[in-house]
Amino acid sequence: MVPFYAFIFLPFIFAIIVPFLYKYLNRQIHTGWFVLLVPLSIFIYLLLYIPSVAAGETYRYTLPWIPTLEINLTSYLDGLSLLFGLLISGVGALVILYSIFYMSKEREALHNFYVYLLMFMGAMLGVVFSDHLLVFYGFWELTSVSSFLLISYWYERRSSRQGALKAMLITVFGGFGMLAGFIMLILMADTYSIRELIANLDVIQNHELFLPAMLCVLVGAFTKSAQFPFSIWLPDAMEAPTPVSSYLHSATMVKAGIYLVARMTPIFGGSSVWFWLVAGVGLITLLYGSLTAIRQTDLKALLAYSTISQLGLIMCLLGVGSLAVYFGPGESGTVFTVATFAALFHLFNHSTFKGSLFMVVGIIDHETGRRDIRFLGGLMQVMPITFTIALISGLSMAGLPPFNGFLSKEMFFGAVNEVSQAGIFGLGSIGVGFPIIAWVASIFTFVYCMIFIFKTFGGRFRPEKLTREVHEAPLGMLISPLVLGALVILIFFFPNVLGKLILTPALTAVLPMMDVTPYDLKISAWHGLNLELLMTFSVIIFGLLLFKTAKRWIVALRGFPQGLMLSHWFNRGIEGTEKLSGSLTNRYMTGSLRHYLIYIFSFFVLLLLSSLLGLYGLHFDFSQDAPIGFFEAGLVIAMIIAAITVLMAGNRIIAIVALGAMGYMISMFFVIFRAPDLALTQMVVETVTTVLFLLCFYHLPKLKKNIERISFKLTNVIISLAMGLTVSLLALSANGHKLFEPITAFFENAYELAGAKNIVNAILVDFRGFDTLLEISVLTIAGLGVYLLVHQRVKRRESNETE
Amino acid sequence: MKPNDVILRSVTRVAAVIILTFSIYLFMNGHHHPGGGFIGGLSTASAIVLLYLSFGIEKVRENIRLDFKKLAAIGVLIAVGTGMAGVVFGQPFLTQTFGHVDLPIFGDTELASALIFDTGVALAVIGTAVNIILSISEDR
């Protein structure tokens, strides 16, 4: 067969062609028709793999990328990635078909839309088929980026941009966490391959980085899959066009986290932290999502929270299923294997019904111009087909027979009931909480499904509240939800076809240590009168009661204070961080040079003094010092007097002259210490600088020129004293340490080597001529700089005068 | 009324010659005695500045038709050029040589390529120093 990565890259390659198709052919044919070919061909290609994967085969292809760093595009195909690959390409094909009718050919920037969508599809396929951790991460971030682009597709809307930014911040935060986790995994097992990680389990599980790696990976999974409390980005991402919401935010991207958890189950599963985090967070998300969904009046927001809640359910099931790793093959292990199976089953079911529900909302939005249930109602008569689809998918979401949601919900109840009796990881006392929370959340789920169906389609038809002439959607728009709706029913009646062909191999990928046979995992619609069925019945009864009385209590729920919402806290947090960093920057970046000098000098003193004292560098050795002569002592005293005069000078002229005196005394020092060249140069240079200082002084502006003494500031005194002390200590300690012989002996041969009796000059022009070359360059540049500064100003002044 | 600074001008006429001679002496002498390109250049510049001071910028400019910015650039170029000469002969950059030549008048004279390098230094220093002072003094 064709090497596998060809199909990962097909969407990317096609994305390059899309703009050309749009430019030259869009007037005749909607660009979407061409794009449709991509997921369709991938879907068909993946279908061909089903028989061999169901027979237990796996495929692995490697495309070298950076072979020296062992980074290769390794694609790996097993049951789990095949399940996801089919979902991505299948739902992708349906969504693109739907978008052909949803997105206007004339009004929308279709090339952008399809390029982003194809990028996303390719990235998502890359995520599920990658075996290499870093390549996995690369594709993972690409899904975040392309999802960011898709959410902000209508970028002229403020809410779109905000939603996109929020999604980006949260998912990329999680992505970085995941990367950290991956790097720890790589460090532990010294391999990049997920396959080999699983093979090296014993090394990883006894490593001290095991727990941090797990937490980091989970942060990535939870942010991507919108688990509590990272779920806040998903409702805001509903600003995207509806096909995008349907594809990304129900069927694929939000399941990337699920995929990650499922992939990592063989590695991390079996530990109590993993169980409690995955199952616990999943359960909380389930309850939180279903409770919040009821409050919503916007249909898309309702579906967003319901997605959060359903993802929580799947996550919870995966957590419960990880107990199978703990128990290993055996009777109780098999019980929890069924939970993982239920997770995969519900994952598939959720993609079908949630995809079609989003498309239904898109149709309603498209045909009525409204998405708010307070304006909608009675659409049943006008849009019978849409209503049928909504009913099928909605009841499946609520977990009613004869739809596939019923089967997976029953298995979910079965799993949580088993957990309450597992008796490990401290489950004995609070294990009973699992079925109770699951049951309560299911009631809420039932209620919001009823709200979704009957507030929009039931009741009185009020055309005066709608902005458009309402009629049934065009056929093209209905095909995709019809296909998904048909799947919902088909899977209920023939669940074992799906179970045997796709879900069982996926299960063996999640729990490779369990040898499962399709016989163990027979899904049956009727499995006897047991606790699960009773729970479903009570869910229906309580749900109906609550729905009937909804008017009384839903107000209380909607009145839930804004201040307690997670999203509110997130926004406050972002604002707070910006303010904090702003005020922090303003506090130290004052713009005052004096402050910056204080920072620089304090750090200098701090670093040098602490290292001098801390590293025992402070000891003096005066034995080698030359005796102090009469001239030196006199000059030093004179220089000290000159220096103090500079500091205490009442006006600038005195300071300048005192500075000049200092300079001449330095040249005297050069004379005493037998450096005639230096003395000559110092003398001339000092003269020139003094003259320049006087020039500057002459040019000081008359305004505000106040001749007064330097004001006394304690900080300045302390810092300058500390600075002087540090440098003196440093020089004195360095003086006593001659580590090796100086190289002056070499330069004493200047006459033989360079033909020069003046050693200084020989060094300057011969031995170290390169320094001199650059110094004269510096000098010339300084001269040109002065020339430019002066002449630019003159020119500017002239041009101002002519204006 | 223009101040009559005849004494200053007369002294300058003599002093400039002496200063220039001394600076050339410092420059030429640099190889074996204190002096060299830097100090030689600076003292030449001081002689030129003295001329400016006593005769005025316009008059000196008429007589010394030199663009000191170009002079500085030429100095740097000469210095780089001597360095490149070493490269041409297959030696590392900035390799200097010297040799003894019997010249007709001077007798046994030592000629060193470092002197050309030093010329570059001197020209750069003269150009820069005069350039800075001219620029600032023109800034009125």
Side-chain angles (χ1 to χ4, degrees):
Chain A
M1 287 189 182
V2 190
F4 212 73
Y5 35 77
F7 271 83
I8 298 176
F9 289 115
L10 183 66
F12 294 115
I13 295 163
F14 203 82
I16 298 171
I17 312 172
V18 164
F20 297 102
L21 291 174
Y22 175 77
K23 191 172 177 188
Y24 296 111
L25 291 172
N26 190 53
R27 232 165 274 160
Q28 291 95 40
I29 311 167
H30 195 286
T31 316
W33 288 111
F34 301 105
V35 180
L36 182 60
L37 296 174
V38 177
L40 213 56
S41 54
I42 297 174
F43 184 68
I44 293 166
Y45 176 77
L46 286 176
L47 281 181
L48 297 178
Y49 273 97
I50 289 181
S52 53
V53 170
E57 280 182 56
T58 56
Y59 296 89
R60 186 182 171 141
Y61 301 99
T62 302
L63 177 70
W65 180 21
I66 314 174
T68 48
L69 296 177
E70 288 179 60
I71 294 175
N72 301 309
L73 297 168
T74 311
S75 51
Y76 179 77
L77 176 75
D78 62 357
L80 186 63
S81 45
L82 185 66
L83 166 66
F84 274 88
L86 284 172
L87 275 180
I88 293 161
S89 53
V91 180
L94 292 174
V95 160
I96 287 173
L97 180 67
Y98 176 79
S99 73
I100 293 172
F101 296 92
Y102 186 87
M103 307 292 282
S104 159
K105 194 166 76 171
E106 287 82 22
R107 287 196 306 273
E108 303 283 0
L110 283 178
H111 51 312
N112 291 348
F113 182 73
Y114 285 116
V115 167
Y116 301 159
L117 203 63
L118 281 172
M119 252 171 74
F120 173 77
M121 190 182 292
M124 202 63 210
L125 285 171
V127 165
V128 298
F129 286 118
S130 288
D131 187 45
H132 193 286
L133 283 174
L134 294 183
V135 175
F136 180 101
Y137 169 74
F139 282 120
W140 181 278
E141 290 298 19
L142 202 54
T143 62
S144 294
V145 171
S146 49
S147 144
F148 168 79
L149 290 171
L150 281 167
I151 296 169
S152 58
Y153 173 69
W154 287 310
Y155 52 82
E156 63 279 1
R157 295 186 193 169
R158 193 178 146 79
S159 52
S160 283
R161 296 195 302 267
Q162 277 177 341
L165 189 65
K166 199 177 197 175
M168 184 79 162
L169 282 176
I170 294 177
T171 53
V172 168
F173 161 75
F176 284 154
M178 190 187 77
L179 177 65
F182 279 179
I183 291 171
M184 287 184 223
L185 278 176
I186 293 167
L187 286 178
M188 279 189 270
D190 196 27
T191 173
Y192 291 105
S193 160
I194 301 173
R195 292 294 92 209
E196 288 166 29
L197 282 178
I198 295 171
N200 290 338
L201 265 187
D202 47 332
V203 183
I204 297 173
Q205 277 169 348
N206 297 320
H207 203 281
E208 55 186 355
L209 283 177
F210 178 70
L211 196 62
M214 179 204 287
L215 295 178
C216 287
V217 168
L218 275 184
V219 166
F222 286 168
T223 50
K224 200 75 161 182
S225 282
Q227 298 295 303
F228 189 86
F230 306 113
S231 52
I232 46 176
W233 66 267
L234 190 62
D236 287 12
M238 290 301 131
E239 294 299 331
T242 306
V244 172
S245 312
S246 166
Y247 187 41
L248 272 71
H249 307 125
S250 70
T252 54
M253 186 171 100
V254 287
K255 301 225 164 94
I258 304 275
Y259 173 80
L260 181 64
V261 168
R263 260 283 173 250
M264 293 292 160
T265 297
I267 300 170
F268 295 119
S271 94
S272 65
V273 182
W274 178 266
F275 166 76
W276 275 112
L277 275 177
V278 177
V281 170
L283 209 59
I284 293 170
T285 315
L286 168 65
L287 188 63
Y288 161 79
S290 57
L291 201 57
T292 323
I294 299 177
R295 298 175 47 220
Q296 308 303 320
T297 56
D298 181 76
L299 283 176
K300 267 182 126 176
L302 189 149
L303 285 184
Y305 282 107
S306 100
T307 303
I308 293 172
S309 147
Q310 301 280 317
L311 288 169
L313 191 157
I314 301 171
M315 199 61 99
C316 177
L317 275 174
L318 279 176
V320 173
S322 75
L323 286 180
V325 183
Y326 177 83
F327 284 113
E331 199 189 328
S332 40
T334 314
V335 166
F336 292 110
T337 311
V338 176
T340 309
F341 187 76
L344 297 169
F345 189 36
H346 195 72
L347 169 91
F348 187 90
N349 293 342
H350 177 247
S351 296
T352 56
F353 64 69
K354 192 53 63 67
S356 74
L357 281 176
F358 267 110
M359 291 176 190
V360 164
V361 171
I363 291 171
I364 294 170
D365 192 11
H366 204 266
E367 301 304 328
T368 66
R370 292 279 190 196
R371 239 167 42 193
D372 198 314
I373 49 173
R374 286 170 298 191
F375 297 104
L376 296 166
L379 293 176
M380 197 192 291
Q381 301 97 322
V382 212
M383 307 168 90
I385 305 175
T386 316
F387 168 65
T388 315
I389 300 165
L391 191 69
I392 292 170
S393 312
L395 291 182
S396 174
M397 183 158 74
L400 259 56
F403 308 109
N404 59 6
F406 171 71
L407 301 173
S408 41
K409 176 94 34 131
E410 290 289 282
M411 293 173 88
F412 171 59
F413 282 152
V416 286
N417 286 339
E418 288 296 337
V419 165
S420 61
Q421 277 137 39
I424 51 156
F425 298 156
L427 274 169
S429 48
I430 46 174
V432 75
F434 270 80
I436 292 174
I437 296 176
W439 183 71
V440 172
S442 295
I443 294 176
F444 289 131
T445 308
F446 187 86
V447 173
Y448 73 68
C449 291
M450 292 299 119
I451 290 176
F452 179 83
I453 301 168
F454 292 108
K455 292 274 172 183
T456 36
F457 293 98
R460 207 160 44 79
F461 182 49
R462 291 168 296 177
E464 71 280 359
K465 291 210 170 184
L466 306 176
T467 51
R468 289 174 205 169
E469 185 86 19
V470 182
H471 50 78
E472 184 59 272
L475 182 65
M477 231 175 188
L478 287 169
I479 295 174
S480 304
L482 272 177
V483 170
L484 288 171
L487 266 178
V488 168
I489 299 177
L490 275 178
I491 289 168
F492 176 78
F493 288 108
F494 308 103
N496 289 315
V497 180
L498 177 81
K500 207 178 287 176
L501 286 178
I502 299 170
L503 296 182
T504 313
L507 182 63
T508 42
V510 179
L511 300 171
M513 65 293 289
M514 313 292 293
D515 42 340
V516 282
T517 53
Y519 180 76
D520 296 332
L521 304 159
K522 224 164 166 51
I523 312 163
S524 46
W526 175 256
H527 38 76
L529 191 66
N530 53 13
L531 188 57
E532 288 90 65
L533 202 63
L534 284 178
M535 282 168 86
T536 304
F537 271 123
S538 53
V539 162
I540 296 172
I541 292 164
F542 277 99
L544 280 176
L545 275 176
L546 277 176
F547 177 60
K548 283 291 165 200
T549 55
K551 277 210 175 106
R552 290 184 207 150
W553 54 269
I554 213 162
V555 186
L557 209 55
R558 288 209 179 119
F560 192 66
Q562 194 68 29
L564 290 174
M565 300 296 293
L566 284 174
S567 205
H568 175 73
W569 285 107
F570 176 81
N571 293 340
R572 283 277 297 277
I574 294 278
E575 271 170 34
T577 325
E578 279 173 6
K579 252 186 217 149
L580 186 74
S581 54
S583 66
L584 206 68
T585 311
N586 284 339
R587 189 165 289 268
Y588 75 91
M589 297 299 282
T590 51
S592 150
L593 275 181
R594 180 174 167 256
H595 290 169
Y596 300 159
L597 287 176
I598 288 176
Y599 306 149
I600 294 169
F601 287 134
S602 335
F603 267 92
F604 188 92
V605 168
L606 224 68
L607 276 178
L608 279 181
L609 261 192
S610 59
S611 57
L612 257 185
L613 298 173
L615 303 173
Y616 308 105
L618 199 67
H619 62 96
F620 309 119
D621 175 17
F622 297 115
S623 59
Q624 302 287 315
D625 290 2
I628 299 168
F630 174 72
F631 284 118
E632 287 101 319
L635 268 177
V636 165
I637 291 165
M639 278 174 78
I640 290 172
I641 292 169
I644 290 172
T645 316
V646 172
L647 285 180
M648 301 292 173
N651 73 39
R652 287 195 184 83
I653 293 246
I654 295 178
I656 291 169
V657 171
L659 213 57
M662 288 272 279
Y664 286 123
M665 273 183 285
I666 288 173
S667 83
M668 292 315 288
F669 255 117
F670 288 145
V671 171
I672 294 176
F673 289 130
R674 284 170 294 170
D677 292 272
L678 288 184
L680 274 170
T681 315
Q682 171 67 24
M683 188 92 82
V684 181
V685 168
E686 188 55 47
T687 314
V688 173
T689 41
T690 306
V691 168
L692 287 179
F693 268 133
L694 286 171
L695 260 176
C696 292
F697 173 75
Y698 181 78
H699 283 293
L700 270 182
K702 295 276 181 294
L703 216 79
K704 275 190 183 173
K705 182 170 78 173
N706 41 355
I707 301 172
E708 57 184 45
R709 295 172 50 147
I710 302 171
S711 57
F712 181 82
K713 288 200 179 73
L714 193 65
T715 356
N716 290 8
V717 175
I718 292 170
I719 286 179
S720 46
L721 282 181
M723 191 74 192
L725 183 75
T726 310
V727 177
S728 310
L729 285 178
L730 199 66
L732 287 176
S733 330
N735 190 33
H737 297 261
K738 277 228 168 82
L739 292 178
F740 40 74
E741 275 302 298
I743 55 167
T744 38
F746 172 77
F747 294 118
E748 277 160 16
N749 300 329
Y751 190 68
E752 287 78 40
L753 292 168
K757 288 175 189 155
N758 181 350
I759 299 178
V760 175
N761 196 260
I763 293 173
L764 281 180
V765 300
D766 197 335
F767 297 125
R768 310 277 316 249
F770 198 64
D771 297 356
T772 314
L773 181 65
L774 295 181
E775 273 156 25
I776 59 171
S777 312
V778 169
L779 211 60
T780 312
I781 291 166
L784 292 178
V786 170
Y787 177 80
L788 276 179
L789 277 178
V790 169
H791 282 255
Q792 291 284 12
R793 215 178 53 161
V794 172
K795 252 183 212 160
R796 210 178 307 140
R797 199 185 298 154
E798 278 166 3
S799 66
N800 283 351
E801 276 164 10
T802 50
E803 268 165 18
Chain B
M1 198 186 102
K2 253 182 85 178
N4 190 359
D5 41 8
V6 66
I7 297 176
L8 178 65
R9 289 185 179 190
S10 312
V11 171
T12 302
R13 280 195 184 105
V14 181
V17 174
I18 297 171
I19 296 173
L20 279 174
T21 317
F22 179 63
S23 63
I24 291 168
Y25 167 77
L26 274 176
F27 168 68
M28 297 298 287
N29 213 24
H31 213 48
H32 296 307
H33 303 284
F38 198 83
I39 188 69
L42 270 183
S43 41
T44 313
S46 68
I48 295 169
V49 170
L50 183 62
L51 289 175
Y52 279 128
L53 282 178
S54 35
F55 295 103
I57 290 173
E58 288 310 313
K59 194 153 191 177
V60 179
R61 191 169 275 167
E62 272 170 33
N63 291 293
I64 308 175
R65 294 176 182 278
L66 267 179
D67 186 347
F68 287 97
K69 293 188 292 294
K70 282 179 190 158
L71 193 71
I74 289 167
V76 177
L77 281 179
I78 288 174
V80 176
T82 56
M84 291 310 291
V87 178
V88 171
F89 290 109
Q91 298 288 322
F93 185 62
L94 273 174
T95 307
Q96 310 284 11
T97 58
F98 64 96
H100 291 265
V101 188
D102 217 8
L103 287 180
I105 302 168
F106 300 97
D108 178 32
T109 313
E110 185 196 326
L111 288 181
S113 63
L115 196 67
I116 309 172
F117 183 80
D118 233 4
T119 315
V121 175
L123 291 184
V125 170
I126 296 168
T128 306
V130 179
N131 185 23
I132 289 177
I133 287 166
L134 272 187
S135 301
I136 292 176
S137 61
E138 278 172 1
D139 179 30
R140 285 280 169 262

